[in-house]
Amino acid sequence: MAIWDRLLFSFSRRAEKGLRQFELPSSLETAKSDEPVSLAHIMEQFEDCIDVFQRSIPSAGIDIVYIPHLIDPMRFTKEIVDPLSKAQDAQDVRDVLAQSNFWHASDSKKVVKGILSGKAAIFHEGNVYLVIVYGPKSRGVEQSETESVITGPHDSFTESANTNLSLVRRRVKSSHLKVVKLEVGEITKTIVYVLYIKDIVNMELVDEFVRRITNIEIDAVYDGNMFTQYIDDFPNSLFPQFLITERPDTAVSKLVSGRILAIVDGSPTVVSGPTGFFDFFSSADDYYQRWSIGTATRVLRFIAFVITISFTAIYVAVTTYHYEMIPEALILTLRESRSKVPFPPVIEAMLMEVTIELLREAGARLPTKIGQTIGIVGGIVIGQAAVQAGLTSNILIIAVASSAISSFVIPSYVMSASIRLIRFGLIVLAGIWGNFGLMLGIGFIVVHLCGLTSLGTSYLSPFAPTKWSDWKDVFIRGPFSILTSRPNQVRTNNEEKAKMRK
Amino acid sequence: MFKTQYRCLLIGLLAVLTGCGSDQRILEKIGLTHTTCFDLMPEGKLRVTNSIPLSTGEGRRPREVLTTISDSSKGAKVDLSRQTQLTLVSGQMRNILFGWTLAERGFWDDIDTLVRDPSVSPRVKVTVVNGEAHSLIIRNYSNYLRTAKYIDHLLESEIKIQTIPKVTLYDFTRDYYDDGIDPVAPIINELTDHVKVDGIALFQDDRLRMKVDVNESVYFAMMRDDFKMASLPIVLSGEKEKKELVLFDSLINKRRIRVARAGSHSFRVDIQLKVSGVILEYMGDLKISKEEDKHKLEEKIAAKITQHAEAILKRMQQKNVDSLGLGNVVKSSVPYKEWKNMNWREVYPDIEIHCATQVKIKHYGKQK
């Protein structure tokens, strides 16, 4: 009993009833400790860390502790070393240290953490001051490889959360864009910025989002994709419940439509939610093309989805059970191409599907130069040799290839991976029960999708619950003149676009 | 509550569905019967011939023809499947051919078993062979790879240009069970190196009673239904060397039937045909470019059509076959009780049927 429940319905990590009032964590630092803040004590903590440097300026009577590869050397010299070494007497030193960029710290834990996050600790007369001189080398802003567009901006997020934040800020010049800083991971202490636009977003959702993040209990977070799995409503479901993007323009469009962003430090992917199933089928390109063209490509993607999910499964069902369904003109060709194959269709189809997946996986892991070889070898082996050897029929090759190609049409890689996996289940069902099995499988998927939620909002929105006014941006990409409302799913109080309530 | 129901449903499905595993019909392991022929043998037995197309890889033969003689069509199936390595199925059947003698005796029993077989599509064609169906199907017509497919395509193309009606298993069964209409079926015939459409067979119930010649089948089609896209060559007058010919093409026909009472148990049926079309070819003295000559020609054609139609109607009444469904028209014009008490078969031969035709020549030649 419990097993069925768990299989069908209990994927959910449901929201606790009665949301807490949203409180911004005022400081991430933990409670004050009684340990003395002395240079010796701090250095003792950094024992065996050869990358922690201690530098003395005897003329000013100060010691500076910092990690060289976390700081910007230019800034370090300009802001700390120069003014302090120029100081004539103790009063000068005190004046310099009284400047606002020198923070007085009285807690040793704070100091240790500061040093670890790219600050320099200045020890002077028993006092400790922290200066932000953070500036490690990071990758420049480059073009996105997983979400490339033809028209539109080409920049993408990088691994540095600050850069990512700046990419968003550059696009949203509004004080309504609020940023909350949170910390995830016991050891890595990864910084997560939660972004939302006040007066557009529903604060209850922000509340829930922050609550989930603060409840994460893990040692380490490395990536946005990993991070989402900790805040998913249904962690065991195949479908991603948060949209992940590398594109600042997409991220900003999510913000503006009333969604929440999470920028995870160290990851070029940004998480946005709440998300519906159909959001995974729209690409930034849709909005940069004229609406008719955008609509056509979007419809094409839905067709691709249907092909991916069902093409091979239909082939299996039809050749195993429903010979009546095959058109007369096709039946003899199909028969002839099947006649040399020693396996039943379901085995034949699984064989080819697995081969395609192998090729895809190999192509993704290998360097580009070898990856091309894989493509050629795969093309010849699958397209030509397998048919000639009588392992598969060439019509199946067409079915498998077209469904594989279709799966890559779906803009979100995470979603297309889910769909490719689901396909295998449908092929097996089609092999066991024919069309009935196929329908059973699709029925199960629909039931499951209906039950899914993203941040507590319906995953199939605006399809179920039906919200007709949102359909103009789901199955089609309506002209901008009619795309004037924000999606119903985000439950915003500010539905009209271009009308900010002051 | 909801979850419990789901669980029961799933377990129930698993229990029920596990029984279906042996239902597999893997494409290359089945013999797809394309055409089945039924012939009556002298002792009242049935000769069943199945034509099964093979893909060119198998045995280098384009098709396999299996024959057996048995008491019933279902019994024949068992015997036929003994003759082949494939599992015989009938889900891709396209055509059923009946031999002439069997058609005259009546073949409802054989059709009935096919109608009751869920795998046989109701869109399977029913055709009568003028002669033996068996000998027609076993022959290889040198121009065509697969005889059965050739016949099927031949019928399809003829149906498209209205020389024969489209008669499927569904149509035949419907007309058979309907008490105001009798079924029809196309007739094909075997020539030296071809198969030819040979007219329309008119049935009384399931027994073939009358044949409409292929030249007259367009007239029959006009009375039977509205249609588009037919062509009709008419010889208006054929005196010695002065022949008057017309080829009337792209016909659009509208048919109207009116019923009036003529006496207590008799009716008068008026069939009104409105035919419009294009003159493709005309040989004669009239100048069609002149308006009055055009009307004259229209009248001549109309008279010819009426003459042919009435001839067919007369023969149908003589043979007592109501293939046009006049019974249905009468049925809808009289109270149901009266229809129920009436024996249409007795009334039908004596009713008055008149045919009136209106012809309109839209234009002549390819241009106006």
Side-chain angles (χ1 to χ4, degrees):
Chain A
M1 268 169 84
I3 292 171
W4 284 118
D5 281 357
R6 206 168 283 172
L7 264 180
L8 275 172
F9 305 102
S10 300
F11 287 121
S12 172
R13 183 201 309 242
R14 290 189 194 283
E16 279 170 22
K17 289 288 169 198
L19 293 168
R20 281 184 299 170
Q21 194 52 46
F22 177 43
E23 290 165 18
L24 289 185
S26 54
S27 159
L28 295 171
E29 270 74 4
T30 41
K32 235 179 154 182
S33 64
D34 301 329
E35 289 158 31
V37 195
S38 69
L39 178 62
H41 178 72
I42 299 294
M43 288 316 285
E44 192 189 314
Q45 301 238 332
F46 284 116
E47 201 188 347
D48 290 341
C49 301
I50 54 155
D51 58 343
V52 177
F53 267 45
Q54 185 191 346
R55 182 168 167 179
S56 302
I57 306 179
S59 64
I62 57 170
D63 292 287
I64 311 168
V65 180
Y66 62 98
I67 299 175
H69 43 256
L70 278 186
I71 61 158
D72 182 357
M74 294 281 285
R75 212 170 139 192
F76 180 69
T77 322
K78 214 173 129 201
E79 289 189 13
I80 303 170
V81 181
D82 281 357
L84 285 173
S85 46
K86 274 177 199 152
Q88 301 295 327
D89 51 23
Q91 187 54 43
D92 267 8
V93 173
R94 270 195 291 278
D95 285 349
V96 170
L97 292 176
Q99 284 171 17
S100 64
N101 55 338
F102 293 88
W103 290 353
H104 187 264
S106 53
D107 183 2
S108 73
K109 274 198 175 160
K110 230 179 204 173
V111 175
V112 169
K113 207 165 158 189
I115 294 167
L116 287 171
S117 55
K119 288 170 188 158
I122 299 162
F123 293 82
H124 176 69
E125 294 173 350
N127 288 323
V128 188
Y129 300 89
L130 290 173
V131 194
I132 303 172
V133 280
Y134 185 71
K137 287 274 177 293
S138 71
R139 193 164 65 101
V141 175
E142 284 160 16
Q143 195 159 340
S144 168
E145 293 207 347
T146 52
E147 285 173 83
S148 52
V149 294
I150 297 154
T151 48
H154 288 290
D155 55 346
S156 75
F157 289 124
T158 68
E159 282 78 9
S160 156
N162 290 323
T163 313
N164 293 353
L165 200 54
S166 79
L167 284 171
V168 175
R169 272 281 183 212
R170 269 181 233 177
R171 285 180 165 81
V172 187
K173 295 183 188 69
S174 165
S175 61
H176 286 269
L177 172 63
K178 308 292 180 192
V179 183
V180 182
K181 190 179 175 188
L182 299 170
E183 203 181 74
V184 175
E186 289 297 311
I187 293 173
T188 57
K189 312 265 189 226
T190 308
I191 287 166
V192 174
Y193 291 115
V194 174
L195 281 69
Y196 60 92
I197 293 180
K198 207 184 162 209
D199 291 339
I200 293 181
V201 79
N202 184 328
M203 286 310 282
E204 276 180 33
L205 294 180
V206 178
D207 220 25
E208 170 68 15
F209 197 68
V210 171
R211 192 186 64 76
R212 282 192 197 176
I213 295 172
T214 47
N215 280 359
I216 297 176
E217 284 176 9
I218 39 161
D219 280 350
V221 172
Y222 315 113
D223 186 62
N225 288 293
M226 181 184 174
F227 171 77
T228 48
Q229 294 173 47
Y230 285 102
I231 56 169
D232 273 347
D233 302 38
F234 295 81
N236 298 329
S237 169
L238 272 176
F239 294 97
Q241 290 135 48
F242 287 94
L243 190 81
I244 285 160
T245 181
E246 281 192 11
R247 300 182 52 78
D249 53 333
T250 309
V252 168
S253 81
K254 296 295 163 201
L255 271 182
V256 172
S257 65
R259 296 188 166 96
I260 308 159
L261 288 192
I263 298 176
V264 181
D265 193 22
S267 160
T269 51
V270 162
V271 178
S272 101
T275 305
F277 180 68
F278 300 105
D279 289 345
F280 292 93
F281 290 87
S282 76
S283 154
D285 243 354
D286 295 354
Y287 297 94
Y288 303 141
Q289 307 266 15
R290 306 192 65 75
W291 77 268
S292 41
I293 294 157
T295 299
T297 40
R298 196 173 280 183
V299 168
L300 197 69
R301 272 182 226 127
F302 285 109
I303 294 170
F305 169 65
V306 173
I307 290 176
T308 308
I309 271 230
S310 60
F311 231 47
T312 317
I314 287 174
Y315 170 87
V316 170
V318 162
T319 49
T320 318
Y321 294 95
H322 312 288
Y323 68 92
E324 296 100 333
M325 281 174 64
I326 309 169
E328 192 191 5
L330 195 63
I331 194 161
L332 287 178
T333 335
L334 200 58
R335 232 179 109 115
E336 194 174 332
S337 82
R338 278 275 310 142
S339 61
K340 270 172 78 185
V341 182
F343 317 112
V346 59
I347 305 280
E348 181 199 8
M350 289 302 271
L351 206 71
M352 276 298 109
E353 287 284 0
V354 169
T355 316
I356 287 264
E357 287 299 302
L358 285 177
L359 269 176
R360 185 196 55 75
E361 188 64 16
R365 299 286 155 260
L366 283 170
T368 332
K369 284 172 189 165
I370 310 172
Q372 288 173 347
T373 324
I374 286 291
I376 295 162
V377 168
I380 292 168
V381 168
I382 295 184
Q384 203 65 43
V387 174
Q388 274 177 9
L391 280 180
T392 54
S393 69
N394 40 26
I395 290 176
L396 176 76
I397 296 281
I398 295 167
V400 169
S402 48
S403 66
I405 289 168
S406 303
S407 78
F408 295 115
V409 170
I410 294 155
S412 162
Y413 184 77
V414 190
M415 181 52 95
S416 90
S418 306
I419 288 166
R420 274 204 307 278
L421 190 58
I422 288 169
R423 193 172 52 173
F424 282 94
L426 288 180
I427 292 169
V428 172
L429 281 174
I432 303 172
W433 292 322
N435 277 349
F436 183 80
L438 192 59
M439 287 305 129
L440 203 71
I442 289 171
F444 184 85
I445 292 168
V446 172
V447 168
H448 176 64
L449 280 175
C450 288
L452 278 185
T453 57
S454 168
L455 265 185
T457 63
S458 166
Y459 193 58
L460 276 188
S461 171
F463 193 65
T466 314
K467 183 77 181 173
W468 295 104
S469 60
D470 285 357
W471 281 43
K472 57 188 182 281
D473 196 18
V474 169
F475 300 108
I476 63 165
R477 200 286 269 173
F480 286 121
S481 57
I482 64 162
L483 297 183
T484 50
S485 61
R486 301 206 164 84
N488 177 251
Q489 192 195 16
V490 301
R491 299 183 195 154
T492 171
N493 293 321
N494 187 354
E495 279 188 11
E496 278 289 290
K497 277 185 186 171
K499 267 181 197 156
M500 199 76 177
R501 277 181 201 158
K502 288 285 170 190
Chain B
M1 204 40 195
F2 179 65
K3 291 174 188 174
T4 323
Q5 284 169 4
Y6 254 92
R7 203 174 305 129
C8 294
L9 182 72
L10 264 176
I11 293 168
L13 278 176
L14 286 176
V16 170
L17 288 168
T18 38
C20 306
S22 58
D23 237 19
Q24 283 194 351
R25 296 259 183 276
I26 294 178
L27 189 61
E28 70 274 15
K29 290 179 183 154
I30 50 178
L32 306 151
T33 307
H34 184 282
T35 299
T36 306
C37 302
F38 296 102
D39 279 303
L40 189 65
M41 296 309 282
E43 324 80 68
K45 286 204 165 197
L46 206 60
R47 177 161 68 190
V48 181
T49 314
N50 273 13
S51 173
I52 297 153
L54 298 175
S55 49
T56 43
E58 305 164 42
R60 307 269 157 88
R61 267 191 311 167
R63 64 173 185 142
E64 194 171 2
V65 184
L66 305 173
T67 309
T68 186
I69 295 172
S70 83
D71 293 312
S72 73
S73 61
K74 285 286 166 211
K77 199 176 171 181
V78 179
D79 196 52
L80 289 174
S81 62
R82 281 195 202 115
Q83 298 177 37
T84 175
Q85 55 153 344
L86 305 164
T87 320
L88 281 186
V89 292
S90 36
Q92 284 275 354
M93 201 190 280
R94 303 285 156 188
N95 206 347
I96 312 169
L97 303 180
F98 291 100
W100 192 264
T101 44
L102 181 64
E104 279 182 330
R105 191 204 69 177
F107 51 67
W108 180 249
D109 291 339
D110 307 310
I111 279 214
D112 192 44
T113 57
L114 292 168
V115 172
R116 283 170 206 288
D117 185 346
S119 70
V120 175
S121 159
R123 285 157 66 197
V124 174
K125 291 185 202 60
V126 177
T127 312
V128 174
V129 176
N130 196 350
E132 268 200 344
H134 172 76
S135 71
L136 183 126
I137 202 81
I138 57 163
R139 271 185 60 180
N140 286 320
Y141 299 89
S142 57
N143 295 333
Y144 305 96
L145 197 59
R146 296 185 178 94
T147 304
K149 205 169 177 179
Y150 158 52
I151 295 168
D152 191 45
H153 288 185
L154 176 89
L155 289 169
E156 285 283 350
S157 72
E158 289 302 306
I159 286 163
K160 209 166 264 172
I161 58 162
Q162 314 286 348
T163 57
I164 49 170
K166 179 164 185 148
V167 179
T168 61
L169 206 53
Y170 167 79
D171 297 315
F172 196 94
T173 317
R174 181 198 57 202
D175 292 350
Y176 175 81
Y177 278 121
D178 202 336
D179 52 357
I181 191 167
D182 282 319
V184 297
I187 305 173
I188 55 173
N189 194 7
E190 174 185 359
L191 296 180
T192 43
D193 207 18
H194 286 283
V195 172
K196 186 189 169 217
V197 168
D198 202 29
I200 305 165
L202 307 188
F203 291 80
Q204 187 190 64
D205 295 329
D206 62 333
R207 289 184 306 281
L208 193 153
R209 295 299 294 268
M210 179 190 148
K211 179 185 159 194
V212 174
D213 208 50
V214 71
N215 302 324
E216 304 215 287
S217 61
V218 178
Y219 306 111
F220 180 77
M222 279 179 186
M223 291 189 287
R224 200 172 141 87
D225 214 342
D226 297 351
F227 65 71
K228 276 178 188 172
M229 280 299 292
S231 65
L232 176 63
I234 308 170
V235 181
L236 294 171
S237 54
E239 291 127 31
K240 291 155 214 160
E241 68 268 19
K242 272 214 84 180
K243 270 194 176 175
E244 198 176 4
L245 284 173
V246 71
L247 182 62
F248 205 27
D249 196 57
S250 312
L251 291 189
I252 297 173
N253 167 59
K254 284 220 181 328
R255 172 201 76 153
R256 245 176 121 185
I257 298 182
R258 283 215 191 91
V259 174
R261 241 176 240 281
S264 59
H265 271 299
S266 191
F267 298 91
R268 181 198 150 98
V269 176
D270 281 296
I271 301 176
Q272 222 175 45
L273 302 176
K274 272 188 184 172
V275 189
S276 60
V278 178
I279 300 285
L280 267 195
E281 188 182 53
Y282 172 70
M283 280 190 229
D285 296 335
L286 295 171
K287 287 261 174 280
I288 342 174
S289 50
K290 276 197 233 159
E291 198 66 19
E292 60 214 82
D293 277 11
K294 196 168 120 186
H295 287 311
K296 240 181 234 170
L297 186 64
E298 279 174 354
E299 274 161 33
K300 270 187 174 178
I301 296 171
K304 210 74 191 173
I305 291 175
T306 312
Q307 181 195 331
H308 280 286
E310 284 191 334
I312 297 172
L313 285 168
K314 192 158 279 172
R315 278 175 55 217
M316 278 165 59
Q317 275 183 305
Q318 277 167 9
K319 298 281 183 184
N320 202 354
V321 289
D322 180 16
S323 313
L324 297 180
L326 299 181
N328 276 340
V329 185
V330 169
K331 181 163 72 176
S332 55
S333 72
V334 300
Y336 182 68
K337 206 175 235 174
E338 188 185 340
W339 170 260
K340 205 66 195 156
N341 292 331
M342 193 193 315
N343 188 347
W344 180 242
R345 285 255 181 264
E346 282 170 13
V347 177
Y348 176 69
D350 302 322
I351 60 170
E352 263 184 80
I353 309 176
H354 294 279
C355 188
T357 316
Q358 257 184 305
V359 171
K360 191 170 177 260
I361 296 170
K362 284 194 282 192
H363 46 91
Y364 49 89
K366 279 290 173 192
Q367 285 113 15
K368 181 141 182 136

